[in-house]
Amino acid sequence: MLATVSCVSKLPLSEAAKAVAHPLRARILEALTVEARSPNELAVEFSEPLGNVSYHVVVLRDLGMVELVDTAARRGAIEHYYRARWRVRLDVRPLDDEPLSKPVSSRRPRRAA
């Protein structure tokens, strides 16, 4: 698998890899590259608990991968809207011309006696 990561902040690549290694954070980051959204909107879209989504948005915010762009009063609370500062694209394809469906043997070839 090849991964292309581009950014506008100076976060070490190892930290960025850890951040997007969690599937929900990767989905959040991908969604926030399209348009600014609130954790509540993301939670509904992903059918995930709001607490989980909010936690992962805060992790991404603390790493500088997303930024707060707007706030709005909603039903007596403040809704925060974030957008991505990083773009992550995963390109899954074979590294050579061999098809992915080729079986991989875990056994070693027999030696001639």
Side-chain angles (χ1 to χ4, degrees):
M1 174 171 33
L2 301 174
T4 304
V5 180
S6 59
C7 69
V8 292
S9 68
K10 295 190 181 216
L11 182 69
L13 187 57
S14 62
E15 291 297 315
K18 281 191 240 178
V20 297
H22 192 284
L24 183 55
R25 282 196 293 260
R27 290 171 62 201
I28 290 169
L29 194 57
E30 183 179 0
L32 294 178
T33 61
V34 177
E35 67 178 322
R37 295 186 189 154
S38 71
N40 188 44
E41 292 171 339
L42 293 167
V44 170
E45 180 181 337
F46 299 149
S47 300
E48 293 284 342
L50 177 59
N52 290 0
V53 173
S54 295
Y55 169 79
H56 290 294
V57 168
V58 168
V59 169
L60 293 170
R61 183 201 65 202
D62 291 348
L63 289 169
M65 298 180 85
V66 299
E67 63 183 345
L68 180 65
V69 293
D70 197 13
T71 58
R74 299 276 188 251
R75 294 180 292 270
I78 304 294
E79 195 160 16
H80 298 85
Y81 291 85
Y82 297 89
R83 74 170 176 205
R85 296 183 70 219
W86 284 65
R87 177 167 295 153
V88 175
R89 181 176 57 98
L90 297 178
D91 184 10
V92 181
R93 60 188 164 99
L95 294 176
D96 52 20
D97 292 331
E98 294 183 28
L100 286 174
S101 61
K102 182 178 178 182
V104 177
S105 175
S106 61
R107 296 183 356 194
R108 293 183 181 194
R110 291 185 177 194
R111 286 195 252 168

